[in-house]
Amino acid sequence: MTNLQYVRWFNTLSIDDVSVVGGKNASLGEMYRELTPKGVKVPNGFAVTVRAYWDLLQESHVLEPLHKLIDSLDKDDISELEICAQRARELIQNAALPINLSKEICEAYQQLLKEYGTDLSVAVRSSATAEDLPTASFAGQHDTYLNISGEHDLLDAYRKCLASLFTDRAIVYRNNNNFDHFKVALSVGVMKMVRSDLASSGVMFSIDTESGFQDVVFITAAYGLGETIVQGNVSPDEFYVHKPTFKQGYSAVLRRALGDKTIKMVYTQDGKATRQIQTSKVDSQQFCLDDADVLKLADYAIKTEEHYSKKANKPRPMDIEWAKDGVDGQLYLIQARPETVTSQKRHDVLEQYHIKDKGKVLITGRAVGSKIASGTARYISNKDRLSEFEAGEVLVADMTSPDWGPVLKKAAAIITNHGGRTCHAAIVARELGIPAVVGTNEATRKIVDGQTITVSCADGDVGKIYKGELSFEVQTTDLSSIPKSRTKLMINLGNPDLAFRLSALPCDGVGLARMEFIINNYIGIHPMALVHLQKVKDANQRAEIERLTHNYFSPQDFFIEKLSEGVGTIAAAFYPKPVIVRMSDFKTNEYASLLGGKFFEPSESNPMLGFR
């Protein structure tokens, strides 16, 4: 195919072609050209250019009607927004494609079939000219259509992608970020479909999304198509890999957390739509990636970050989508964009939130950010109830979606039943700088609508929701203004969940990592209860111990692995500075407070003496 007007193959594109094929397709071209030779698998495909979008609007005479609809829109009137957006999408979807455009798309599709085989299905993905930028990601604003086969369905999906430039959420996002609606255009990418419906998929970052710590790759994973993670339908598995030691040849997973993964998104029997099904109990209770896959993804992430950082001539942490193909068993990168929130914050300013009162913990989940906020809990069950939400309230929901943008901007904090730290609610909370607790499982049941609550993300990975309004304080320290002392200063640290955040402190390492604190904060089970579970007479405690240790070869392996992860996380956070670990020095009453502990510890009037 020569002298093409509208189609550009990925191997002819680079990151400099945003104005031609949009941010997503420019990045896919860059990845395919530059990372494939380095061993990173990227599906091949082609982009239908921005020029095709403008020619379609001009030749079908819909540009002027679109202007009339959008230019007169009252951006604060949600009802008017819905009506105008629907009409705008209908104008584009009903427009006839220019003959040359249809011909080029179909010919390119046939060429892709020759490369991958006639049973190939493709992903049809929107790519805006103001997308995946270092300052505005536009993530989730435009539509993607998966598992498309045949020329007719491909052309139909192409029109629908163009029309998604005028979804409610996309219009609101452009308004909020001061983008002119008619200076943003859409390209569409067509690429080999990675059959993650038969395996797993997820999102990974070459930076810790909460602390901004840059020496780890953070990976989330769930079964099936990746939409369940982005939409927050599941709490995914999470993994960390330490970049400096990985580059030196020490291949190890630094730490891991098992998600519930209760559902997965797969295709319907005819392959033309998606549906959500229950994950089997066996699958949900085990990690969906083995260590070899995690390390392969870490290698991909490091190579991607190194390439884009070299291209930008400065550090460029990346937000990366990946998928595992259940047919060929291979791992693929299907998107990479600059991380636009955590990496742009000042990391030489330490902001610490501390709750001053004691309160009843209603529920816990995964913390997003490190802040604290109080407000009235407002349960929103679906999109139709968004108008009930008042500014300053705490949004409580099963999950959120990009359509909820106007309400999320008014929230003091966000709480969801489902989702991990890369779901929509978490991403928006970081952008807005508000605390969020996701993956609580039962927030909508345990938090009463209308009650006053306090949301705290100040204790590391575990976010807590307290009953009532608790007072708190904020301490802000400009680390750049602290002079370097001639005396070496080392800190005490026993909570691995705080290690990445505190690594920014101007210190010379960790002088005391107390093993008993790591056991208490990170393991939570009495060591002897893991050796002699039959002696734990409390049925609820025994069931909880069995649940926590289910995914390990033995209960003892759970203790060994979690302890090594805890120590390793602290060491990684301060690497290459020294970390001194002190052996366990628990008092009997402290050990007794662990799960199963009361069945193995004596009662002492003075625990500072005796068995200690």
Side-chain angles (χ1 to χ4, degrees):
M1 296 171 65
T2 58
N3 300 320
L4 298 175
Q5 285 182 284
Y6 301 118
V7 165
R8 291 280 302 273
W9 286 90
F10 286 170
N11 64 2
T12 69
L13 296 171
S14 76
I15 199 64
D16 300 320
D17 290 313
V18 173
S19 63
V20 179
V21 294
K24 185 177 294 178
N25 285 334
S27 184
L28 280 166
E30 182 81 19
M31 292 162 64
Y32 188 82
R33 274 177 39 157
E34 303 294 339
L35 297 180
T36 298
K38 298 177 181 178
V40 178
K41 285 192 172 295
V42 180
N44 195 14
F46 59 91
V48 187
T49 63
V50 166
R51 177 182 173 182
Y53 169 76
W54 291 122
D55 284 0
L56 172 64
L57 297 191
Q58 292 283 1
E59 293 187 26
S60 58
H61 306 291
V62 299
L63 187 56
E64 187 177 341
L66 273 175
H67 263 291
K68 287 181 179 179
L69 278 172
I70 302 302
D71 293 347
S72 61
L73 178 65
D74 180 355
K75 64 181 182 180
D76 296 319
D77 188 331
I78 294 178
S79 298
E80 184 184 350
L81 169 66
E82 290 178 355
I83 294 170
C84 288
Q86 177 65 32
R87 289 177 180 170
R89 292 194 299 275
E90 288 173 354
L91 281 171
I92 296 173
Q93 283 181 225
N94 295 331
L97 297 181
I99 294 174
N100 284 347
L101 173 57
S102 299
K103 181 181 177 183
E104 286 191 21
I105 292 174
C106 292
E107 287 180 358
Y109 172 64
Q110 290 301 323
Q111 190 168 327
L112 208 54
L113 288 177
K114 289 179 182 179
E115 178 179 349
Y116 286 111
T118 54
D119 59 344
L120 171 76
S121 61
V122 295
V124 184
R125 310 177 69 188
S126 302
S127 177
T129 51
E131 184 173 67
D132 294 348
L133 305 177
T135 54
S137 72
F138 275 74
Q141 301 307 314
H142 310 115
D143 291 343
T144 287
Y145 295 89
L146 304 176
N147 207 36
I148 301 298
S149 298
E151 293 178 359
H152 178 273
D153 288 350
L154 172 57
L155 295 176
D156 185 51
Y158 172 72
R159 280 193 203 87
K160 289 178 179 177
C161 281
L162 296 187
S164 72
L165 195 60
F166 292 97
T167 59
D168 302 9
R169 61 182 181 267
I171 293 171
V172 170
Y173 192 96
R174 289 195 294 272
N175 282 336
N176 291 340
N177 289 276
N178 299 314
F179 283 92
D180 187 322
H181 297 289
F182 293 95
K183 288 185 179 177
V184 176
L186 208 67
S187 165
V188 175
V190 179
M191 60 193 290
K192 164 188 153 61
M193 181 72 215
V194 180
R195 293 301 303 272
S196 60
D197 58 303
L198 304 175
S200 55
S201 58
V203 180
M204 60 180 173
F205 291 81
S206 62
I207 188 173
D208 178 46
T209 54
E210 305 313 311
S211 65
F213 181 65
Q214 296 196 16
D215 280 350
V216 288
V217 175
F218 172 51
I219 301 167
T220 62
Y223 295 109
L225 301 171
E227 281 300 295
T228 55
I229 292 181
V230 177
Q231 293 175 0
N233 295 332
V234 298
S235 299
D237 297 336
E238 296 181 354
F239 307 90
Y240 283 95
V241 176
H242 186 232
K243 290 190 288 190
T245 47
F246 181 88
K247 292 176 185 177
Q248 295 173 32
Y250 299 98
S251 297
V253 178
L254 180 63
R255 62 188 296 185
R256 50 181 71 72
L258 185 69
D260 58 37
K261 310 180 298 297
T262 52
I263 60 172
K264 60 181 176 180
M265 184 177 286
V266 298
Y267 297 118
T268 53
Q269 195 166 8
D270 62 7
K272 293 185 176 181
T274 58
R275 64 189 180 105
Q276 291 183 352
I277 62 172
Q278 290 292 122
T279 307
S280 71
K281 188 174 181 180
V282 172
D283 283 346
S284 67
Q285 291 180 348
Q286 65 184 8
F287 291 106
C288 64
L289 292 177
D290 59 24
D291 282 8
D293 283 341
V294 172
L295 296 170
K296 172 69 78 174
L297 288 172
D299 180 57
Y300 283 6
I302 291 168
K303 288 174 177 174
T304 303
E305 181 185 52
E306 287 177 343
H307 172 74
Y308 280 85
S309 297
K310 184 178 180 181
K311 189 91 175 178
N313 202 28
K314 63 179 180 179
R316 180 53 61 80
M318 299 298 290
D319 170 355
I320 303 165
E321 297 174 24
W322 65 268
K324 184 173 184 177
D325 196 310
V327 177
D328 63 21
Q330 298 295 315
L331 290 162
Y332 292 86
L333 296 193
I334 55 175
Q335 187 51 37
R337 60 179 72 87
E339 195 281 332
T340 59
V341 179
T342 307
S343 58
Q344 294 190 28
K345 292 179 180 177
R346 284 188 64 187
H347 297 297
D348 57 353
V349 174
L350 182 66
E351 191 175 63
Q352 294 176 289
Y353 283 69
H354 303 282
I355 285 186
K356 299 170 69 174
D357 299 333
K358 290 185 177 180
K360 178 183 178 182
V361 177
L362 298 174
I363 199 167
T364 63
R366 301 292 283 169
V368 178
S370 59
K371 295 183 178 181
I372 300 172
S374 298
T376 301
R378 184 64 59 217
Y379 171 43
I380 301 296
S381 57
N382 55 64
K383 181 182 176 183
D384 296 335
R385 295 190 59 190
L386 292 176
S387 59
E388 301 173 17
F389 192 83
E390 299 291 336
E393 293 182 330
V394 176
L395 176 65
V396 182
D398 192 51
M399 57 187 179
T400 67
S401 77
D403 296 316
W404 293 29
V407 162
L408 296 172
K409 289 191 69 174
K410 300 190 292 184
I414 303 169
I415 305 169
T416 65
N417 286 340
H418 304 297
R421 290 188 294 163
T422 55
C423 73
H424 176 261
I427 291 169
V428 172
R430 284 189 206 98
E431 287 185 352
L432 298 176
I434 60 175
V437 179
V438 299
T440 62
N441 293 322
E442 299 181 302
T444 55
R445 189 174 67 85
K446 290 194 173 182
I447 298 174
V448 178
D449 190 40
Q451 77 175 128
T452 302
I453 57 174
T454 298
V455 180
S456 173
C457 296
D459 298 318
D461 284 356
V462 178
K464 300 175 182 176
I465 292 91
Y466 294 92
K467 183 179 180 180
E469 182 176 355
L470 305 184
S471 62
F472 61 90
E473 63 180 2
V474 184
Q475 293 179 329
T476 302
T477 306
D478 185 350
L479 302 177
S480 64
S481 66
I482 299 176
K484 177 70 175 176
S485 66
R486 286 184 290 177
T487 303
K488 287 190 174 183
L489 297 176
M490 303 174 82
I491 67 171
N492 291 356
L493 179 61
N495 186 351
D497 290 343
L498 295 175
F500 294 156
R501 191 172 296 159
L502 296 180
S503 66
L505 289 171
C507 67
D508 296 288
V510 176
L512 183 59
R514 300 172 67 181
M515 189 179 286
E516 67 270 25
F517 282 10
I518 298 173
I519 294 170
N520 183 56
N521 290 316
Y522 199 60
I523 298 176
I525 305 174
H526 194 286
M528 294 306 292
L530 295 168
V531 179
H532 301 291
L533 184 59
Q534 73 279 4
K535 293 185 179 181
V536 178
K537 303 304 181 184
D538 185 303
N540 290 331
Q541 287 195 28
R542 192 165 60 250
E544 179 63 6
I545 292 171
E546 289 174 344
R547 185 188 71 81
L548 291 170
T549 60
H550 172 80
N551 206 45
Y552 296 82
F553 182 75
S554 71
Q556 296 96 312
D557 284 335
F558 165 82
F559 184 88
I560 294 167
E561 191 164 306
K562 296 299 284 186
L563 183 59
S564 66
E565 287 182 3
V567 173
T569 297
I570 295 174
F574 291 86
Y575 178 87
K577 298 172 183 175
V579 172
I580 299 172
V581 180
R582 189 183 75 180
M583 297 296 103
S584 176
D585 191 30
F586 254 3
K587 299 185 288 292
T588 51
N589 63 322
E590 292 173 328
Y591 258 129
S593 67
L594 297 172
L595 274 175
K598 67 181 181 180
F599 301 101
F600 299 94
E601 297 297 332
S603 178
E604 292 186 290
S605 56
N606 187 352
M608 289 294 290
L609 301 174
F611 284 99
R612 187 185 186 195

